[in-house]
Amino acid sequence: MSGIYLKAVYGGEGYVPVFHTHSLMTPFPVVSLTAPVALTNSKGAEDSIRFVRHTNELNTIISNFRIQCPAAFTQPLTCTIVEQLYNSTIANAIDYPVQTMTDAVLLSLWCNKKEQAEAQIQSYRSIIASWPAAAQKRCGGADRWEADIRSQWNREQITNTIQTELTRFKLDHLQDMLLACE
């Protein structure tokens, strides 16, 4: 699932548009903002849009966001585009992006990129093993994370999880814009 979140700023007096994804392949308690890409200004900071600017410059704002984040305007999204978003999120994370790692591997498997998924598992295992003990505890460490990933891969199970998540979040009535696995 993907969308644009209008992140409130200035006590609700403005917003920052943020493109994000949320994988439906694993149960998650809320719609996450995975692989977020916020509109930035010329200084590289998030570009906050006050309502007067929204009214006067909406086409320019949209154009700038289209340039900075073409994925937000691409239909259908491709596996490669989502992989790039995940890779960027993982590489630039200031926290411990275990859910993004999980989503990336499951996406590769979903798109029948099994060799890529194996390489990701080994790479992410190394990253997780390098984290402080408290961060590793969140995901049970590299061994447990890998075991969890491998136990989740069953196409029928994933399909059922996706349907369950769509129903739980009341999204099952929306048109599926598909994900192009190339």
Side-chain angles (χ1 to χ4, degrees), residues 54-75:
H54 172 95
T55 301
N56 296 333
E57 300 176 31
L58 183 60
N59 289 335
T60 302
I61 293 166
I62 292 169
S63 177
N64 289 342
F65 199 44
R66 183 181 306 272
I67 291 165
Q68 290 180 23
C69 185
F73 301 88
T74 302
Q75 289 185 0

Side-chain angles (χ1 to χ4, degrees), residues 3 8 46 48 60 83 104 131 138-140 148 153 159 161 165 170:
E46 289 185 351
S48 41
T60 302
E83 287 168 353
W131 291 348
R138 281 183 30 204
C139 63
D148 285 349
W153 185 245
T159 301
T161 299
E165 292 295 283
K170 297 177 176 56

Side-chain angles (χ1 to χ4, degrees), residues 71-151:
F73 301 88
T74 302
Q75 289 185 0
L77 272 178
T78 66
C79 183
T80 301
I81 291 170
V82 177
E83 287 168 353
Q84 290 169 351
L85 292 168
Y86 286 164
N87 290 339
S88 176
T89 298
I90 292 166
N92 298 311
I94 56 174
D95 60 356
Y96 306 101
V98 69
Q99 189 62 44
T100 306
M101 292 173 174
T102 300
D103 294 346
V105 172
L106 291 175
L107 176 65
S108 293
L109 289 167
W110 183 262
C111 290
N112 292 314
K113 297 180 178 185
K114 293 181 174 125
E115 288 179 20
Q116 178 175 305
E118 279 299 327
Q120 288 170 312
I121 288 171
Q122 297 315 309
S123 174
Y124 299 157
R125 274 183 56 79
S126 296
I127 293 170
I128 292 169
S130 73
W131 291 348
Q136 288 188 45
K137 187 176 180 182
R138 281 183 30 204
C139 63
D143 290 338
R144 181 161 175 229
W145 175 80
E146 179 180 355
D148 285 349
I149 285 287
R150 293 188 187 282
S151 73

Side-chain angles (χ1 to χ4, degrees), residues 24-27 106 109-112 114 149-166:
L24 298 168
M25 291 189 267
T26 58
L106 291 175
L109 289 167
W110 183 262
C111 290
N112 292 314
K114 293 181 174 125
I149 285 287
R150 293 188 187 282
S151 73
Q152 290 180 50
W153 185 245
N154 170 305
R155 186 107 180 162
E156 185 177 329
Q157 176 186 343
I158 297 281
T159 301
N160 290 338
T161 299
I162 291 169
Q163 190 55 51
T164 300
E165 292 295 283
L166 286 170

